Amino acid sequence: MQNKGLVRVFAILFGLVCVYQLSYTYLTYTKEKEAETYAQQKYPESVEDYSKLREVAEGAYLDSIGKEEIFAGITYNDAKDKELNKGLDLKGGINVILQISVKDILEGLANNSKDPAFNQALLAADEVQKNSQNNYIEDFFTEFEKIPDAKLASPDIFANKNLSDDITYEMTNDVVKPILRRKIDESVTSAFEVLRKRIDKFGVTQPNIQRLGESGRILVELPGAKDVTRVKALLQSTAQLEFWDVYKAEEIFPFLFSANNAIKERLDKVKEVNSETDEVTEIVTDSTQVDSLKSDADSVVDDLLEDAEDSTAVETQVNPIFDLMAQQGGQGGPVILSVEKKNADQMMAYLNDPEVRALLPQELRYVKFAWGKPVKDSEIIDLYAIKGNRDNNPELSGGVITDARQEYNQVGKVTVTMQMDGKGAKKWEEMTGRAFSQRSQIAIVLDDIVYSAPGVTTGAIGGGRSEITGDFSIEEGQDLANVLRAGKLPASADIIQDEIVGPSLGQEAIDSGAMSFAIALVLILIWMIFYYGKAGAFADVALVVNILFIFGVLAGLKAVLTLPGIAGIVLTIGMSVDANVLIFERIREELAKGKSQADAIKDGFNNALSSILDANITTGLTGLILLTIGTGPIKGFATTLLIGILTSLFTAIFVTRLFIDGYGKNGKELAFSTGMTKNLFKNVNIDFLKKRKIAYVISGVIILAGVGSLFTNNLDYGVDFVGGRTYTVRFAKDVVPTTVENDLVAVFGSAQAKTLSTNNQLKITTKYKVNETGAAVDTEISNKLFEALKPYLTDGLTYDQFANGDEDKQVGIMSSMKVGPTIADDIKQAAFWSVLGSLIVVFLYILFRFRKWQFSLGAVAAVFHDVLVVLGVFSLTWKFMPFNMEIDQAFIAAILTVIGYSLNDTVVVFDRIREFFKEHTTWPLDKNVNGALNSTLSRTLNTSLTTLLVLVAIFIFAAPLRGFMFSLIIGVLVGTYSSLFIATPIMHDTVSKVGLKEKTKKEEE
């Protein structure tokens, strides 16, 4: 090896850099353990709510030491910023994909146009989007073009005063389209920046936010975040802050009397019709007439109470509106009345009924009714009457806010103060002056909820400074100030996919991942020494260096370590042994030829290099595809796999060589085997090609059985592919999944409950309201889940304890995931193209390396065979296996890894076949192929065995990854088989014996 000194220096320096990068993680860990110990001592378990108090105490402790020097000028804050990032599945937290509504943006750009063509195209685009892979804007354009004479640059659509600088009436649709695309991109970018500012102030360390292509989707990852409801509200709030004048209670009360009498009169008519119907029933024999009369009566009630929850209760009311009223508003105040929360929808349905609103006097015709912010732990909410206008635009909106902060008022209550810009300050002074002179109030409305409606007692307020009061907690005040300061979203943001992992489940994942990592490493180290003796020990040292490099690079790149990422590292350890095995086997061959140790080592490394590079490049190509299409944990798996491939190549080719050369430079003999393994596979002479027809039959039977099962038994598709919500719920005692499932079906209509890892933990999946988004729907479903599971939960467990998580949480929702049907369809498409793309890329690479399409055909046929076998096994066994075997993104990662591994094996065999053709030009084709297969058999079985040891260790100790590992175990077994009995025989059967020999002779010339 040339430039040994340079390689040695580089390896040492690179190792020191990795140690330096990982030192931040160590320093962070030590300080956080100190904080944990401090909190435990301060709040023992005997204290009520000790878990939450400990969390606050830990945060306070770390804040207090954040800027103190720990070592060599490094503070805790510095170390925290540079530590190795842990993903959600290891640290707990929240991962969401938000869909910014392009429809909202288009409506805003068109000034909420009422143009029939515009709105028809929007409705059609909504429908098409359910099964479309296009962006919303492209489907909108397509549907708009279908409307005769429809013009985007119409004055009633986009050629309006707001877009007059960009769009003019004479522009064609093709000219307007790129302008609208640019405007939408600007709006999504604005939404991205608003969300980034909100998240930066949220207090989560190492957040990740990124745009996903041009679809208007934004990925947000918040490791360590625990309050699910708070995070979702923060992300989805549009922050539509508005300032409105309000009516006083006495100005609205005459209308309430009129409305009450009108509704009462209508209900009395309903009762009269029902009474007459009952009398007619006694003498009318035609049941159809009776049904018709009752239907007419019922339709009156249905029209009136379309949004009401309990129509039976309504029919018994004497005064419909006043019977619902819990409290009347005070004279001169802005609160009209108060009702119980359960009656809010019914009250609003009454007040907004068209016939009732027709009773409003001329001066009140634009009134808007809005509810106030609910008071914590109260079932009563207040109703306000806002002075609306024809255009429904407030005099002052939140766009004028330049700063907002959470503070305390004179009596110690949490408030939010705001500062406005010059234009806003002027308008605010005008509004407050008017309110002062009229002794009226100004409502501060955020997202259609009245937070407060203060009066003005000291005259017009200048300077643009104002205050929002309400029954805020400190966190609510901080979040509101954060949202106002960051600005409003330009359109609604719906969570179309989310994944929530509780902190205790994350800690369990770390423990299981570390255990599997340690077991796998020990097994590999022992095996290498057992099989190769001292040379194996040198390979072990290189392996440990390789692990240091992997973690150091991850920390330096600020990549995220996930549980599949740990699996990727452990798998890399198993596969990285392959390079050393290839080298050592070639050295043993050279020694068997009688070469000196120095020459054998030199030639062994040189001869193995081609196979090592080919095998790792093919695996790396599948890793790149995974990195491109994957998200979250899958991207973490691909990242560690790719880093591991690069570091493994360096340590196997250079670091191992340094140790071996250094040992033998003084003439010391180095045996590349032990007494037990010296003659293993030495004189093996198996006629693989003779057995190929039997292999074809066996493979054919397995594939046919699998394909038949795919059509009849199907696969267990996860929510990634079909959409829905899934929850990992843990119970204090073992539960029977079928019994729980029956209770869930009664609540949700459709649900599945399957045991996950242990008998006291279930994976619950439902498609209930899968098409609906928003925090309210998520809360509704988790509430229903809580109520349905109450009989199986610990007595006294509250909903908050069930849904949200403490550090030591052991019962309740441990993790959850939601995938909307649109994004599920996208994931399916991406999975299909990733597998197909990997096959095409592999075919082209092998064609490039071996220059004959028969080699490519053999390799791709073997890979296709392996994929079908793995799918067939999953289809045949998923109903009775005692672990999760869902087909999800992790499974696709496994399939692509199987493709890479299978190719790794196949390429090594093909490389040796090519070598044999060059060395043994007079041998017949069968002898060359069989000879190559036998000469690589030791390497093939050795690598497969070490990889299987690793996978089995992960399978046993990392319960959440059992389905993932099972697919890889099947893949390694079938991949080893296919490289021997499928890939090579197919190549043999499709190549011309004469043509190959002629090609070989030409290459030699």
Side-chain angles (χ1 to χ4, degrees), residues 900-920:
Y901 184 87
S902 177
L903 287 168
N904 190 316
D905 259 2
T906 302
V907 165
V908 170
V909 173
F910 282 0
D911 197 68
R912 187 60 68 90
I913 291 173
R914 181 174 56 181
E915 188 178 321
F916 265 50
F917 283 142
K918 291 181 179 179
E919 290 181 3
H920 310 289

Side-chain angles (χ1 to χ4, degrees), residues 660-707:
I660 290 175
D661 286 350
Y663 182 85
K665 68 179 180 181
N666 295 322
K668 292 182 182 178
E669 289 294 322
L670 180 63
F672 288 84
S673 60
T674 62
M676 297 180 66
T677 61
K678 186 175 183 179
N679 295 315
L680 278 178
F681 305 106
K682 194 168 186 180
N683 297 308
V684 176
N685 188 22
I686 301 171
D687 191 346
F688 288 97
L689 292 177
K690 190 174 182 179
K691 298 174 173 56
R692 69 186 187 278
K693 291 182 180 178
I694 298 174
Y696 289 163
V697 172
I698 293 172
S699 292
V701 170
I702 294 173
I703 288 174
L704 283 174
V707 171

Side-chain angles (χ1 to χ4, degrees), residues 606-853:
N606 290 337
N607 292 337
L609 185 61
S610 175
S611 295
I612 292 171
L613 290 176
D614 283 339
N616 281 278
I617 287 172
T618 50
T619 305
L621 288 172
T622 59
L624 282 172
I625 293 171
L626 265 180
L627 189 67
T628 302
I629 63 107
T631 58
I634 305 309
K635 193 179 286 287
F637 175 80
T639 301
T640 54
L641 186 65
L642 290 170
I643 292 172
I645 287 172
L646 294 175
T647 57
S648 297
L649 283 172
F650 176 77
T651 52
I653 296 171
F654 296 108
V655 176
T656 306
R657 181 74 178 272
L658 284 174
F659 285 113
I660 290 175
D661 286 350
Y663 182 85
K665 68 179 180 181
N666 295 322
K668 292 182 182 178
E669 289 294 322
L670 180 63
F672 288 84
S673 60
T674 62
M676 297 180 66
T677 61
K678 186 175 183 179
N679 295 315
L680 278 178
F681 305 106
K682 194 168 186 180
N683 297 308
V684 176
N685 188 22
I686 301 171
D687 191 346
F688 288 97
L689 292 177
K690 190 174 182 179
K691 298 174 173 56
R692 69 186 187 278
K693 291 182 180 178
I694 298 174
Y696 289 163
V697 172
I698 293 172
S699 292
V701 170
I702 294 173
I703 288 174
L704 283 174
V707 171
S709 179
L710 286 170
F711 281 105
T712 56
N713 205 30
N714 214 322
L715 291 161
D716 184 19
Y717 291 105
V719 293
D720 287 21
F721 287 164
V722 297
R725 290 173 172 85
T726 183
Y727 302 87
T728 299
V729 182
R730 185 174 295 172
F731 304 85
K733 298 179 182 179
D734 292 353
V735 291
V736 179
T738 52
T739 304
V740 175
E741 184 175 299
N742 290 335
D743 290 345
L744 292 169
V745 169
V747 174
F748 294 114
S750 68
Q752 281 186 331
K754 294 179 289 187
T755 300
L756 184 65
S757 302
T758 59
N759 290 331
N760 71 327
Q761 188 163 276
L762 296 181
K763 187 166 190 176
I764 295 169
T765 305
T766 178
K767 289 188 178 181
Y768 179 74
K769 292 192 174 182
V770 65
N771 290 308
E772 297 185 31
T773 57
V777 177
D778 294 338
T779 302
E780 175 198 345
I781 294 173
S782 58
N783 267 298
K784 284 180 177 290
L785 181 66
F786 174 62
E787 293 298 327
L789 297 178
K790 258 187 178 180
Y792 310 98
L793 297 170
T794 308
D795 290 340
L797 187 75
T798 66
Y799 169 77
D800 184 63
Q801 293 170 330
F802 171 79
N804 296 311
D806 295 329
E807 293 289 349
D808 57 351
K809 179 178 180 180
Q810 293 300 319
V811 176
I813 297 176
M814 308 303 288
S815 68
S816 66
M817 175 184 284
K818 178 184 76 176
V819 180
T822 302
I823 200 166
D825 192 46
D826 293 347
I827 291 171
K828 278 192 291 188
Q829 292 286 336
F832 171 78
W833 288 112
S834 64
V835 174
L836 181 62
S838 64
L839 292 176
I840 293 172
V841 167
V842 165
F843 181 91
L844 294 175
Y845 178 78
I846 294 180
L847 182 63
F848 168 76
R849 287 294 289 126
F850 295 94
R851 305 304 173 100
K852 289 193 77 68
W853 63 267

